[in-house]
Amino acid sequence: MAAAQRIVIENCSIATVDANDTEYATGHIVVADNRIESLGAGRAPEGLENVVRRIDATGHLVTPGLINTHHHFYQWITRGLATDHNLFDWLVALYPTWARIDEPMVRSAAQGSLAMMARGGVTTAMDHHYVYPQGSGDLSGAIIGAARDMGVRFTLARGSMDRSEKDGGLPPDFAVETLEGALAATEETVKKHHDASFDAMTQVAVAPCSPFSISTELLRQGAELARRLGVRMHTHGSETVEEEKFCHELFGMGPTDYFESTGWLGEDVWMAHCVHMNDSDIAAFARTKTGVAHCPSSNARLAAGIARVPDMLAAGVPVGLGVDGTASNESGELHTELRNALLINRLGAHREAALNARQALRLGTFGGAQVLGRAAEIGSLEPGKLADLVLWKLDTLAHASIADPVTALVFGAAAPVTASFVNGRQIVENGRLLTADEDAIARSTREQARRLAGIAQQA
Ligand SMILES: [Zn+2]
C-alpha cells in the first residue's frame, strides 16, 4: 500500500462542530489522503512524513464543508420568474415551463447550481429532481455526472410526480409519470448509482415530490422500495397553509399525520420545509428521528412562514439547511443561509434566544450530515472523518474587525472561500472553481434558459 499523502493546514482558527463545539483560536489540521488524520491547537507535529503541501492559513477560519440538504438544480434556468407569488400560484405558473426540460438543459442547470454552491463552501450537495418528461433523456445520469465532474459529494433524491390536474393535483397531466413508471425508474437509478460505502461520492434517495403532486400509493410504495433497497427517503412537507388545507380536504388529516399513515416518518426520512408544524407534529418528528431541511430564504421568498427550528432542536429533531430550488431562492448560495436561518428565526416566537451563531453553523454542517444519514463520515472536523473542509478568509475589510471568527462567518457578509476540499481534494481556490470553467457554465446556462423559455412559449 502506498504511504498516505499529507496536507498540513496551520495558523488558522478552527470550528470543529464536534459534539462539544470544540474550537481552536490558532490551530492545525493534518489531512491524510481523503481523511482528517489529526487536528489541534498550535502548530502541526514535527516530523510528519509525505507532506505534499503545507498551507499557512493565517487570517482564516476552517470549518467542516457546508452540506446542502434540499435543492432542485433544474430551476437554475428558470430563475427570476413569478417573483411575487405564493407556493401554489408559483408552481402553477412554472410547471408548464418545467415540463419542457431536456437533458442538455438539466446538465447545464446542474453545473450552474453546483458551481454556485461549491465556490461558497458547499462540499456535499443534493438535488431533489422530480420532473422527468417522457423522452427527455437520462436526466439522473446527467445530474450525477455534473456532480462527479465537479468533485462535489452528492445525493440525488430521485423524485417523481403522478398526481396531475385530472387527479386533483397541481402539475399538468403531461408533466407526470405513472406510478409504476416512477417506481421502476427510481429503483433502476438506485441500483445503478447508489454507493453505500463510507467515503461514497454519490448516493441516491427515494423522493416523491409532495402531497399535492403524488398519489398516496406512490408514497406508500416509495417507502417500501426505499426500505427494501436500504436507501434514504426525502420529500416536501408542511410547507404552506395552502398545503395543510389541501391535506385536510383530500385526506382528512394534516400533512404529518398523512406522512405517518403512509410510512413516511422515520430516522431514514428527511423532509423539506416543515413550516406549519404544531407541537404534536414536532413531537412525532422527534420520536421517529425524522429529519428536516430548513430553507429560510425560499420560505421567505414564497411567503410560506417561519419554521419552528428552535422548537425542533429543543425536541431533538435533526435539522439541516437547504438552498431549495433557485426559482424560489435566486442566490443559490448556502453560506448566506447560515445568516438567514439565524435572522429569520429571531423574527419568530423565541426572539433573540432563537438561534446563535454556533447553532447556525451546526445546521449547515453537522445537522446536514445527520439528515443525509452521514454523520459518521462528514459534518464535523474529527480524526477519521472525511476531509471535507473550507478555509474562510476573514482578515479583509468585510470581516477583520468582527470580534469572533464564527460570529464573523455567520453574522457578517458572505465570506470569501480561499480553499475548499472534498474527500481530500481541493476544488476551490481563491473563490474560483478548480474543477470547472465558471464562465463557460454561465454562458451555457444562459443559452439553455433562453432555449427553455423559447420552447415553453411555443407550447
Ligand atoms: Zn423544494
Side-chain angles (χ1 to χ4, degrees), residues 302-459:
L302 295 171
I306 302 169
R308 296 170 58 189
V309 173
D311 295 323
M312 293 175 191
L313 295 177
V317 177
V319 184
L321 284 184
V323 166
D324 204 0
T326 48
S328 66
N329 177 2
E330 275 74 2
S331 89
E333 297 181 315
L334 190 67
H335 57 325
T336 51
E337 295 298 291
L338 302 175
R339 181 172 191 259
N340 293 343
L342 185 149
L343 294 180
I344 286 175
N345 277 281
R346 286 192 180 181
L347 296 172
H350 296 270
R351 301 191 57 204
E352 72 276 16
L355 283 179
N356 62 39
R358 267 82 192 166
Q359 287 172 306
L361 177 60
R362 179 170 288 275
L363 291 178
T365 53
F366 190 78
Q370 281 182 300
V371 309
L372 294 183
R374 307 197 68 174
E377 301 156 79
I378 54 176
S380 59
L381 302 178
E382 298 178 71
K385 285 190 122 177
L386 296 168
D388 291 10
L389 51 91
V390 181
L391 278 67
W392 306 94
K393 187 167 175 55
L394 298 179
D395 61 355
T396 66
L397 174 66
H399 302 91
S401 59
I402 302 179
D404 154 75
V406 175
T407 299
L409 177 68
V410 174
F411 281 81
V417 171
T418 294
S420 178
F421 291 83
V422 182
N423 221 36
R425 174 192 183 201
Q426 188 175 357
I427 64 163
V428 175
E429 184 161 272
N430 295 326
R432 298 287 290 185
L433 282 169
L434 295 173
T435 48
D437 179 344
E438 279 176 38
D439 299 328
I441 293 172
R443 281 192 299 276
S444 104
T445 53
R446 190 173 174 80
E447 213 170 277
Q448 296 297 339
R450 282 191 179 141
R451 196 163 71 80
L452 176 56
I455 293 170
Q457 212 161 31
Q458 280 165 22

Side-chain angles (χ1 to χ4, degrees), residues 70 72 236 273 324-325:
H70 188 66
H72 312 290
H236 292 95
H273 304 306
D324 204 0

Side-chain angles (χ1 to χ4, degrees), residues 198-221:
F198 182 86
D199 51 5
M201 291 298 290
T202 307
Q203 298 204 325
V204 180
V206 175
C209 185
S210 60
F212 45 82
S213 61
I214 53 180
S215 66
T216 304
E217 223 21 60
L218 181 51
L219 269 179
R220 265 207 199 97
Q221 294 189 31

Side-chain angles (χ1 to χ4, degrees), residues 7 27 82 89 103 133 141 234 268 316 323 330 371 388:
I7 299 170
D89 296 340
E103 197 181 310
H234 179 65
D268 52 356
V323 166
E330 275 74 2
V371 309
D388 291 10

Side-chain angles (χ1 to χ4, degrees), residues 82-394:
T83 50
D84 307 312
H85 291 43
N86 72 32
L87 175 72
F88 277 15
D89 296 340
W90 172 86
L91 286 169
V92 169
L94 288 170
Y95 276 137
T97 300
W98 290 342
R100 310 289 172 192
I101 56 173
D102 60 21
E103 197 181 310
M105 292 176 193
V106 167
R107 180 177 296 107
S108 175
Q111 290 168 338
S113 301
L114 286 159
M116 194 68 199
M117 285 187 293
R119 39 170 242 175
V122 168
T123 54
T124 298
M126 76 79 80
D127 183 13
H128 184 192
H129 189 83
Y130 53 83
V131 187
Y132 289 89
Q134 279 192 4
S136 54
D138 179 12
L139 304 188
S140 296
I143 296 162
I144 287 169
R148 192 187 44 227
D149 291 347
M150 219 169 280
V152 176
R153 205 179 295 285
F154 184 60
T155 295
L156 177 71
R158 205 291 181 185
S160 46
M161 304 194 290
D162 73 336
R163 184 193 289 276
S164 63
E165 282 168 332
K166 70 173 167 29
D167 302 314
L170 248 50
D173 297 336
F174 63 87
V176 303
E177 296 174 281
T178 62
L179 168 68
E180 297 75 21
L183 289 166
T186 304
E187 177 161 4
E188 190 190 313
T189 307
V190 172
K191 287 185 168 160
K192 190 165 174 195
H193 296 290
H194 181 71
D195 178 358
S197 51
F198 182 86
D199 51 5
M201 291 298 290
T202 307
Q203 298 204 325
V204 180
V206 175
C209 185
S210 60
F212 45 82
S213 61
I214 53 180
S215 66
T216 304
E217 223 21 60
L218 181 51
L219 269 179
R220 265 207 199 97
Q221 294 189 31
E224 285 167 16
L225 175 69
R227 286 174 179 141
R228 177 161 61 77
L229 299 174
V231 297
R232 296 183 75 73
M233 300 153 55
H234 179 65
T235 190
H236 292 95
S238 308
E239 185 171 356
T240 64
V241 284
E242 289 83 7
E243 177 193 331
E244 202 174 10
K245 190 163 164 270
F246 179 97
C247 286
H248 277 287
E249 279 170 10
L250 250 80
F251 315 123
M253 59 186 108
T256 299
D257 292 333
Y258 178 58
F259 285 126
E260 183 145 47
S261 77
T262 51
W264 273 78
L265 295 188
E267 59 183 6
D268 52 356
V269 181
W270 86 106
M271 220 168 280
H273 304 306
C274 303
V275 173
H276 297 277
M277 303 263 281
N278 61 32
D279 290 345
S280 86
D281 296 333
I282 290 177
F285 270 57
R287 175 168 40 78
T288 56
K289 294 287 172 226
T290 305
V292 170
H294 175 47
C295 306
S297 292
S298 171
N299 294 156
R301 157 75 150 85
L302 295 171
I306 302 169
R308 296 170 58 189
V309 173
D311 295 323
M312 293 175 191
L313 295 177
V317 177
V319 184
L321 284 184
V323 166
D324 204 0
T326 48
S328 66
N329 177 2
E330 275 74 2
S331 89
E333 297 181 315
L334 190 67
H335 57 325
T336 51
E337 295 298 291
L338 302 175
R339 181 172 191 259
N340 293 343
L342 185 149
L343 294 180
I344 286 175
N345 277 281
R346 286 192 180 181
L347 296 172
H350 296 270
R351 301 191 57 204
E352 72 276 16
L355 283 179
N356 62 39
R358 267 82 192 166
Q359 287 172 306
L361 177 60
R362 179 170 288 275
L363 291 178
T365 53
F366 190 78
Q370 281 182 300
V371 309
L372 294 183
R374 307 197 68 174
E377 301 156 79
I378 54 176
S380 59
L381 302 178
E382 298 178 71
K385 285 190 122 177
L386 296 168
D388 291 10
L389 51 91
V390 181
L391 278 67
W392 306 94
K393 187 167 175 55
L394 298 179

